[in-house]
Amino acid sequence: MAKRILIVEDDETNATIINDYLAAHGYDTRIARDGVEGIQLFREHRPDLVLVDVLLPRKNGFDLCFDLRAEADTPILLMSAVGREVYAEAAARADRLAEGYLRKPFALATVLERVTELVGPA
């Protein structure tokens, strides 16, 4: 059975590119367009990993991480184009919000590498 990945990203282009790339590498992917939909899809599909954009409508990425952590110990990778990378990653790890941080724009190969590190090959 393929590893399940939930992508929570409001930018349609980014979501589609990440989704298609990971699906092409054998992962079973789902996309949520905001934090509220993200928690709903998380509960329905129980993914092995969640990629979460920091700036999301209806529920931001940090709040979503808190909600996900309250329900399961599923690995999370935060993604953002804003803020200082060192700060964001340190905060994410210190608060146990996420296992890592990807600064946009990022190479798709980097996403695949981090996904594989956290959940293994598809």
Side-chain angles (χ1 to χ4, degrees), residues 18-60:
I18 296 167
N19 181 76
D20 292 352
Y21 186 77
L22 292 175
H25 284 84
Y27 292 94
D28 177 10
T29 57
R30 300 272 190 287
I31 298 173
R33 301 291 183 193
D34 61 52
V36 173
E37 184 182 12
I39 196 74
Q40 291 168 342
L41 287 178
F42 179 84
R43 289 174 178 156
E44 289 174 23
H45 299 286
R46 291 296 176 185
D48 298 296
L49 173 72
V50 185
L51 297 173
V52 178
D53 186 27
V54 171
L55 298 178
L56 293 168
R58 297 177 53 194
K59 180 186 288 278
N60 73 48

Side-chain angles (χ1 to χ4, degrees), residues 64-114:
L64 177 59
C65 288
F66 280 116
D67 290 349
L68 296 177
R69 286 289 184 233
E71 294 199 21
D73 198 29
T74 303
I76 299 169
L77 281 175
L78 282 168
M79 308 178 289
S80 183
V82 298
R84 298 186 55 178
E85 182 175 349
V86 174
Y87 246 8
E89 181 151 10
R93 290 176 189 255
D95 293 336
R96 182 92 174 89
L97 287 180
E99 281 65 34
Y101 175 85
L102 297 168
R103 181 162 171 79
K104 295 176 185 177
F106 44 72
L108 290 172
T110 301
V111 176
L112 182 62
E113 180 180 303
R114 296 302 304 273

